[in-house]
Amino acid sequence: MKDNQIPKATARRLPLYYRYLRILNNAGKTKVSSTELSEAVQVDSATIRRDFSYFGELGKRGYGYDVESLMNFFAKTLSDDQMTNVALIGVGNLGSALLKYKFHQSNSIRVSAAFDVNPDIVGRIVDGIPVYPISDLKEQIAIQQIEIAILTVPAQQAQDTFNTLVDAGIKGVLNFTPARIVTKDNVLVQNVDLTNELQTLIYFLHSTNPTEKK
Amino acid sequence: MKDNQIPKATARRLPLYYRYLRILNNAGKTKVSSTELSEAVQVDSATIRRDFSYFGELGKRGYGYDVESLMNFFAKTLSDDQMTNVALIGVGNLGSALLKYKFHQSNSIRVSAAFDVNPDIVGRIVDGIPVYPISDLKEQIAIQQIEIAILTVPAQQAQDTFNTLVDAGIKGVLNFTPARIVTKDNVLVQNVDLTNELQTLIYFLHSTNPTEKK
């Protein structure tokens, strides 16, 4: 497997493939055709074949795919065969909703610690997850071996909080704030900007013939 | 402008450019260099130039960009010069958080109606937004000229609800459920899958040398 050759668009589809394979495996299915896979994940089969080709031979032409071995392969590729603890910073409206959010298709991702500045919730357990003061960040991240943080603080605090996270040892941040974070120390930042999503959708809706609808 | 030639990746960056231009304009700035723009939105300048080239001549080499005219151009391109009413279907944890969410960089996108099946909230006003029964969907969508819906129902109800939305006249759906929706009548579906986002981030973190980090 050559990870450094895998395009981001392909990487983003891996969780989709993995989730569907788990559903099939739970249903006792042992084989899946590329057509079935394509219909279920709503990705055309040429794209699926190209995505899979980055990982070498994953199936045989005319035979389809072996569900269990393909599922196990993606579990390993996505590190879903090991527990990943995640921190959540900022227990406001969106943060609270994400604490309740079921990371449905994964048994192995778990928000294990939340952090906030609000004295009303710091030191309490919210939806089963302890809320620590920001001053405990470094200690908890080390103890719980957390590498990833979900950032749901107000936009004005995003960059400062990010810097604190990097100093505490965080390696990847899922940024839900509208702020464009300047990263450092090769820390990965993945942006989920809900207004952008809506604006992009509106743009495609009003442009007559979008190149790609996926 | 040839909308049908604009790649999705470019379209997704337009809201970023637009937001930053609004910030500059509010701050009274009249010109911006491509370097400043690049640093603020965290997109390299070659990509910005390529993105802008889809729209023809937007600036002059060596001069930079005129903030107000570029801002107005993107406002029009993103339909942010007109009000867009949006519906939200499913007022659970995530739905409630999104009702409170400030669609910060846009004055013109507004969740104007929410829909749910829960008798405890139907008929009430939640965070300033009326919650209607699903049976009022068609009527309210027509009255409020809504074309876009945010889908935050449980995954099992996603496809049925989507079909109901399409029958009611919705043209684009922002799908927050993990379900992969089978679309029809050319309705656009944009997926925001939070578990996928996390899994992709974990994947990139564990692969030594990702091709693209943006």
Side-chain angles (χ1 to χ4, degrees):
Chain A
M1 187 198 322
K2 293 167 194 153
D3 278 339
N4 56 351
Q5 298 187 341
I6 292 167
K8 176 132 194 181
T10 295
R12 292 184 148 273
R13 283 186 289 265
L14 302 183
L16 288 181
Y17 301 141
Y18 176 53
R19 168 147 39 100
Y20 181 60
L21 289 162
R22 286 185 62 201
I23 292 170
L24 287 182
N25 190 57
N26 288 341
K29 235 185 146 198
T30 55
K31 279 174 208 173
V32 62
S33 72
S34 53
T35 314
E36 285 171 291
L37 190 58
S38 170
E39 276 167 17
V41 296
Q42 292 283 299
V43 173
D44 65 274
S45 25
T47 303
I48 293 181
R49 275 195 302 273
R50 199 178 55 237
D51 285 350
F52 283 16
S53 72
Y54 291 107
F55 300 96
E57 281 297 329
L58 294 183
K60 279 181 208 152
R61 189 173 282 269
Y63 170 91
Y65 301 101
D66 182 88
V67 170
E68 197 180 354
S69 65
L70 195 56
M71 177 189 78
N72 290 338
F73 173 78
F74 281 120
K76 214 173 152 55
T77 304
L78 292 169
S79 308
D80 207 49
D81 54 347
Q82 52 187 285
M83 175 63 102
T84 302
N85 282 335
V86 170
L88 183 141
I89 326 293
V91 189
N93 292 322
L94 190 58
S96 304
L98 293 181
L99 286 188
K100 292 190 189 78
Y101 190 79
K102 307 271 169 273
F103 290 100
H104 47 87
Q105 80 254 45
S106 170
N107 294 319
S108 63
I109 299 177
R110 182 178 159 252
V111 177
S112 60
F115 296 87
D116 206 289
V117 292
N118 180 355
D120 293 345
I121 55 167
V122 162
R124 282 183 46 206
I125 292 176
V126 175
D127 291 304
I129 298 156
V131 181
Y132 300 96
I134 299 284
S135 53
D136 285 3
L137 196 63
K138 196 158 190 166
E139 184 189 355
Q140 287 301 325
I141 279 173
I143 292 173
Q144 303 191 30
Q145 300 186 27
I146 296 174
E147 291 184 317
I148 289 178
I150 297 172
L151 194 60
T152 44
V153 298
Q156 315 86 270
Q157 269 103 63
Q159 185 69 56
D160 283 352
T161 309
F162 175 81
N163 296 343
T164 308
L165 288 170
V166 175
D167 293 343
I170 286 291
K171 304 293 180 205
V173 169
L174 197 58
N175 174 29
F176 278 91
T177 83
R180 292 298 276 185
I181 285 169
V182 180
T183 190
K184 60 174 187 172
D185 297 349
N186 292 317
V187 169
L188 292 175
V189 178
Q190 190 153 317
N191 297 302
V192 183
D193 188 314
L194 305 178
T195 308
N196 279 16
E197 296 287 344
L198 264 182
Q199 285 189 326
T200 308
L201 185 58
I202 292 169
Y203 171 75
F204 277 114
L205 212 62
H206 292 178
S207 67
T208 41
N209 188 13
T211 332
E212 192 196 338
K213 290 185 186 177
K214 261 167 257 158
Chain B
M1 188 199 322
K2 294 167 192 151
D3 277 339
N4 54 354
Q5 298 186 341
I6 291 167
K8 176 132 194 181
T10 295
R12 292 184 148 273
R13 282 186 289 265
L14 302 183
L16 290 180
Y17 302 140
Y18 176 54
R19 169 148 38 101
Y20 181 62
L21 289 161
R22 287 185 61 200
I23 292 169
L24 287 183
N25 190 58
N26 289 341
K29 236 187 144 194
T30 55
K31 278 173 209 174
V32 62
S33 72
S34 52
T35 314
E36 284 172 291
L37 189 58
S38 170
E39 275 166 17
V41 298
Q42 292 284 300
V43 174
D44 66 275
S45 24
T47 303
I48 293 181
R49 276 195 301 274
R50 198 177 57 235
D51 285 350
F52 282 17
S53 72
Y54 290 107
F55 300 96
E57 280 297 329
L58 294 183
K60 279 181 206 151
R61 188 172 283 268
Y63 170 91
Y65 300 101
D66 183 87
V67 170
E68 197 180 354
S69 65
L70 196 55
M71 177 189 76
N72 290 338
F73 173 78
F74 282 120
K76 214 173 151 56
T77 304
L78 293 169
S79 307
D80 207 49
D81 54 347
Q82 52 188 285
M83 176 62 103
T84 302
N85 283 333
V86 169
L88 182 141
I89 327 293
V91 190
N93 292 323
L94 190 58
S96 304
L98 293 180
L99 286 188
K100 293 190 190 78
Y101 190 79
K102 307 270 170 274
F103 290 99
H104 47 87
Q105 80 252 47
S106 169
N107 294 319
S108 63
I109 299 177
R110 181 178 160 253
V111 176
S112 60
F115 296 86
D116 206 291
V117 292
N118 179 356
D120 293 346
I121 55 168
V122 163
R124 282 182 47 206
I125 293 175
V126 176
D127 291 302
I129 298 155
V131 181
Y132 300 96
I134 299 285
S135 52
D136 285 3
L137 197 63
K138 197 159 190 166
E139 184 188 357
Q140 287 302 325
I141 279 173
I143 293 174
Q144 304 191 30
Q145 300 185 26
I146 296 174
E147 291 183 318
I148 289 178
I150 297 172
L151 194 59
T152 44
V153 298
Q156 315 86 271
Q157 268 104 63
Q159 184 69 55
D160 282 353
T161 309
F162 175 81
N163 297 342
T164 308
L165 288 170
V166 175
D167 293 343
I170 286 291
K171 304 294 181 205
V173 169
L174 197 58
N175 174 30
F176 278 90
T177 83
R180 292 298 276 185
I181 285 169
V182 180
T183 191
K184 59 173 188 174
D185 298 349
N186 292 319
V187 170
L188 292 175
V189 178
Q190 190 153 318
N191 297 302
V192 182
D193 188 314
L194 306 178
T195 307
N196 279 16
E197 297 287 345
L198 265 182
Q199 285 189 326
T200 308
L201 184 59
I202 293 169
Y203 172 76
F204 277 115
L205 212 61
H206 292 179
S207 67
T208 42
N209 188 14
T211 331
E212 193 196 336
K213 289 185 186 177
K214 261 167 254 156

